[in-house]
């Protein structure tokens, strides 16, 4: 039951200009996670899925953005983002992970 939850916590790696700069400067990886995920669940999920040691997790709630669709106003969905710091000597290589 717990393993099923850990497999559902991480949605995808978040690739953007800001996340790339953060990754290079602070050795962090950014993930989109489910909105009700805790820091402990995110840490356990990353360690289980990628076989790495996580040193810290920082979480940010991204608020919905108001957009205009013609004459109507709408909102994008709110989502949660996790900045995961890995311990020295550990790294996640997504290119090789996808090939497996």
């Amino acid at each position: 039951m717990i393993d099923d939850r850990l497999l559902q916590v991480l949605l995808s790696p978040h690739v953007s200009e800001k996340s790339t700069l953060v990754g290079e400067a602070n050795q962090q990886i950014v993930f989109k996670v489910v909105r009700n995920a805790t820091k402990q669940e995110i840490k356990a999920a990353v360690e289980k899925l990628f076989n790495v040691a996580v040193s810290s997790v920082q979480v940010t709630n991204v608020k919905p953005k108001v957009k205009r669709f013609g004459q109507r106003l709408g909102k994008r969905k709110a989502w949660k983002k996790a900045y995961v710091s890995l311990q020295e000597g550990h790294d996640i290589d997504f290119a090789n992970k996808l090939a497996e």
Side-chain angles (χ1 to χ4, degrees):
M1 187 83 154
I2 294 173
D3 288 339
D4 293 338
R5 170 69 178 163
L6 292 180
L7 293 175
Q8 295 172 356
V9 168
L10 298 178
L11 298 177
S12 67
H14 181 64
V15 180
S16 67
E17 190 172 345
K18 180 179 178 181
S19 67
T20 304
L21 292 174
V22 166
E24 292 172 357
N26 302 330
Q27 287 75 37
Q28 290 181 324
I29 299 169
V30 183
F31 290 99
K32 286 185 181 181
V33 296
V34 293
R35 298 237 2 238
N36 58 358
T38 63
K39 288 183 179 184
Q40 293 82 13
E41 287 176 334
I42 295 167
K43 179 178 180 178
V46 171
E47 288 177 344
K48 180 177 177 71
L49 290 175
F50 300 106
N51 296 323
V52 294
V54 175
S55 63
S56 69
V57 177
Q58 296 172 319
V59 178
T60 303
N61 287 311
V62 180
K63 294 182 179 177
K65 194 177 211 180
V66 176
K67 299 298 258 180
R68 180 178 294 276
F69 299 100
Q71 293 181 348
R72 298 176 188 253
L73 287 177
K75 281 187 181 177
R76 291 185 180 171
K77 288 186 178 181
W79 55 285
K80 195 173 210 177
K81 167 168 56 170
Y83 293 90
V84 178
S85 297
L86 303 177
Q87 291 181 0
E88 280 297 316
H90 291 272
D91 191 27
I92 298 175
D93 188 12
F94 291 108
N96 288 339
K97 204 64 166 163
L98 294 175
E100 291 177 356

